[in-house]
Amino acid sequence: MRLSSEKLSEFLSEQIAGWPQAAGNFDALAGVKVKEISLPGWTVKVQFNPARLVSSAAKVDAASLKARKCFLCEENRPEVQSGIDWGRYTVLINPFPIFPRHFTIPDKSHTDQLIEGRIADMMRLAMEMEDYTVFYNGPRCGASAPDHMHFQAGNSDFLTIAPAIEDAELKTVATDGGATLAMVDTLPLKVFVIDADAESFGEAERLFDRLYKALPVPEGEKEPMMNLLCYPTPAGVRLVVIPRKRHRPSFYGTEGEGTMLLSPASVDMGGVFITPLEKDFDALDASLVMKVLDELCLDAMQINEIASNI
């Protein structure tokens, strides 16, 4: 079934109407606190969202995952939660939303959160979900269900990274047919960008595979650490690849002076930092955001070195 904006809005309304918990969390978004922080070339937002406590504090170690039922598997979902079939995936509303329109898109089978071989799927989703950004959190890059492959999607106008990239210098790294791989090393967040027209998703996937093989794989991980954002453009789609080197900042936690319950994922890297505790919302400022980016992401020298190996 094609995922038109109308179809998705209708589905969201139907689910909210029959699911009090989800309805309450979506309604609560209207009252969340939001502030803006100016960085060089990029303005980010900070959202105080108590409903995201369950995600930010999620235990994602092997023992914890083994001890709980997978909430993305069909047999473990709430009875009230229905979905839209889309090939090998099911589109669900996210009952703990960040976006005014927030969806989770799990694989129908219980398989590890690994992106290899799924970039074309991600691009097709972004093309169909015209007003949305589709995103992927690596297993230790914000995913609260690293044991079950899934994408998420939220309305594109919520994030701030797209206009910042649009205004930045894109340095071409490689091309393949109608697809181009470039890098942006002048913003506080260093990223790779793959642009593709509607006929070049295969070529875009080949470029991504070249980048994927050039990225470091930390010991004990199955893939390079990364967050991905994908959204439609007038020419086709744009995939933003955000390489990572760390799961959570050094000051992550709930106890001790200076700690913050901040577990950045694609939404944070996309320009909206989510804080489930009000004290963290109040404390987060430009210097702390820069510290988070420095600790978790690659610097200009590192991404230039990776680009030279592609």
Side-chain angles (χ1 to χ4, degrees):
M1 178 178 291
R2 186 166 178 81
L3 300 174
S4 66
S5 294
E6 293 78 11
K7 174 65 180 176
L8 290 167
S9 294
E10 179 184 327
F11 173 60
L12 179 63
S13 296
E14 289 173 352
Q15 281 284 274
I16 289 175
W19 192 351
Q21 181 191 29
N25 288 336
F26 273 96
D27 286 345
L29 287 178
V32 299
K33 289 185 178 180
V34 178
K35 67 180 181 182
E36 291 190 349
I37 295 175
S38 294
L39 305 177
W42 186 27
T43 298
V44 302
K45 299 176 183 178
V46 183
Q47 181 191 94
F48 167 47
N49 187 339
R52 294 297 297 183
L53 182 62
V54 65
S55 180
S56 295
K59 294 182 178 180
V60 293
D61 59 280
S64 297
L65 294 174
K66 188 174 181 180
R68 62 118 168 102
K69 291 183 178 180
C70 176
F71 53 84
L72 293 180
C73 285
E74 183 176 6
E75 62 270 22
N76 299 327
R77 295 178 206 149
E79 288 187 14
V80 70
Q81 187 170 28
S82 61
I84 301 174
D85 284 343
W86 193 84
R88 66 197 287 193
Y89 305 92
T90 303
V91 180
L92 309 169
I93 72 163
N94 190 318
F96 302 101
I98 298 170
F99 300 80
R101 302 190 300 278
H102 193 165
F103 298 92
T104 301
I105 308 164
D107 193 297
K108 291 177 180 176
S109 62
H110 185 77
T111 185
D112 285 347
Q113 180 83 337
L114 297 171
I115 192 60
E116 189 173 17
R118 295 178 184 266
I119 291 300
D121 290 347
M122 193 176 190
M123 290 185 160
R124 282 191 286 269
L125 274 169
M127 282 288 287
E128 287 197 23
M129 301 177 78
E130 301 169 324
D131 302 322
Y132 292 84
T133 293
V134 178
F135 56 98
Y136 168 84
N137 294 322
R140 286 193 351 106
C141 297
S144 53
D147 54 336
H148 193 129
M149 173 62 206
H150 65 287
F151 297 111
Q152 293 185 65
N155 43 292
S156 289
D157 56 3
F158 186 79
L159 300 176
T160 68
I161 192 63
I165 292 174
E166 189 72 27
D167 291 339
E169 179 187 3
L170 272 68
K171 301 176 181 178
T172 300
V173 175
T175 59
D176 187 336
T180 302
L181 169 64
M183 66 177 177
V184 177
D185 62 0
T186 56
L187 293 174
L189 181 67
K190 319 305 179 189
V191 302
F192 289 96
V193 174
I194 298 177
D195 287 310
D197 60 43
E199 306 302 320
S200 302
F201 292 170
E203 291 88 341
E205 189 146 35
R206 285 202 297 264
L207 287 175
F208 176 81
D209 288 344
R210 290 170 62 182
L211 172 58
Y212 185 93
K213 289 178 173 63
L215 292 170
V217 180
E219 185 176 352
E221 300 297 323
K222 295 181 179 179
E223 72 174 12
M225 295 180 71
M226 69 181 79
N227 296 110
L228 304 178
L229 301 163
C230 191
Y231 48 88
T233 65
V237 294
R238 169 165 284 178
L239 175 72
V240 180
V241 181
I242 306 165
R244 296 271 295 265
K245 61 186 177 186
R246 185 170 178 155
H247 182 197
R248 287 164 169 165
S250 59
F251 48 88
Y252 174 85
T254 57
E255 298 179 3
E257 187 176 351
T259 60
M260 283 188 174
L261 198 62
L262 189 67
S263 186
S266 292
V267 173
D268 308 77
M269 298 304 173
V272 183
F273 284 77
I274 307 303
T275 55
L277 301 179
E278 191 166 18
K279 73 173 184 65
D280 297 343
F281 172 84
D282 293 336
L284 202 60
D285 58 14
S287 64
L288 280 171
V289 171
M290 291 297 289
K291 182 175 173 63
V292 169
L293 297 176
D294 288 343
E295 287 192 6
L296 271 53
C297 303
L298 304 187
D299 61 28
M301 184 180 297
Q302 289 168 318
I303 76 157
N304 273 275
E305 183 178 352
I306 289 165
S308 69
N309 293 325
I310 293 174

